[in-house]
Amino acid sequence: MKIQIERVVLLSKENEPFILKTAEALLSNTIKKIMLEFPNKTDLVLEIPLFQFSSYVISKIVEYCKIYSLIQNQYPKTNLGNGIVLPTKNKHIENFFKISVESLLKITLASDFLEIEELTSISSRLIAAFITKGEILV
């Protein structure tokens, strides 16, 4: 089934809109399922309220989706298993994770809710590293 929607607008708990192109939004299995619920939608924009997440967290999720969409075909890949393949040692991804532990935890919760497998996998591994070693490794 072809998805007609061109843009997805994620609304934060502050009601701030964040825009993703369809290709970027499809990194989220949750958003993909929502999009498939509206196969005949004609206005080409889908708004999804995510009022449980702050503007900062949604902005980081959107940033990751945009980065990943841009680089996924440009860099060597690392297979993490379970069908998850990530660009290897990419400076954009590494810079993305230069955040506080509190932010990392919130982003992990949001990525898990949105079913962004790659982001959930990386952030979960970073949290595990923090717990076991007392530091975050990228």
Side-chain angles (χ1 to χ4, degrees):
M1 177 182 309
K2 187 174 186 322
I3 295 174
Q4 301 291 327
I5 298 165
E6 291 181 1
R7 290 180 301 154
V8 174
V9 178
L10 305 178
L11 298 171
S12 69
K13 71 179 172 185
E14 297 87 0
N15 210 31
E16 186 175 350
F18 295 89
I19 299 170
L20 286 168
K21 295 176 187 171
T22 300
E24 298 161 347
L26 289 175
L27 286 173
S28 164
N29 288 322
T30 300
I31 293 174
K32 187 185 304 182
K33 290 172 192 172
I34 293 169
M35 292 172 86
L36 290 172
E37 290 292 317
F38 300 97
N40 299 319
K41 189 165 175 49
T42 57
D43 65 3
L44 304 179
V45 176
L46 177 63
E47 281 191 6
I48 302 174
L50 295 173
F51 298 141
Q52 65 271 48
F53 302 113
S54 70
S55 290
Y56 174 75
V57 170
I58 294 178
S59 73
K60 292 300 282 183
I61 294 290
V62 167
E63 178 187 349
Y64 179 84
C65 289
K66 288 178 183 293
I67 290 169
Y68 192 83
S69 289
L70 285 173
I71 66 171
Q72 67 182 342
N73 296 319
Q74 298 176 5
Y75 294 92
K77 309 289 191 280
T78 299
N79 190 333
L80 301 178
N82 298 327
I84 299 171
V85 179
L86 299 172
T88 303
K89 285 292 182 188
N90 180 276
K91 66 178 178 165
H92 302 291
I93 297 292
E94 289 178 9
N95 289 337
F96 174 85
F97 286 104
K98 291 182 179 176
I99 55 176
S100 70
V101 175
E102 181 181 347
S103 294
L104 180 62
L105 290 168
K106 290 177 182 178
I107 289 166
T108 304
L109 289 173
S111 68
D112 185 55
F113 176 82
L114 291 169
E115 297 179 55
I116 303 172
E117 294 174 5
E118 299 85 2
L119 180 55
T120 303
S121 177
I122 296 171
S123 58
S124 296
R125 288 186 303 142
L126 290 172
I127 290 168
F130 175 75
I131 291 169
T132 58
K133 298 177 183 176
E135 60 184 88
I136 295 182
L137 304 174
V138 178

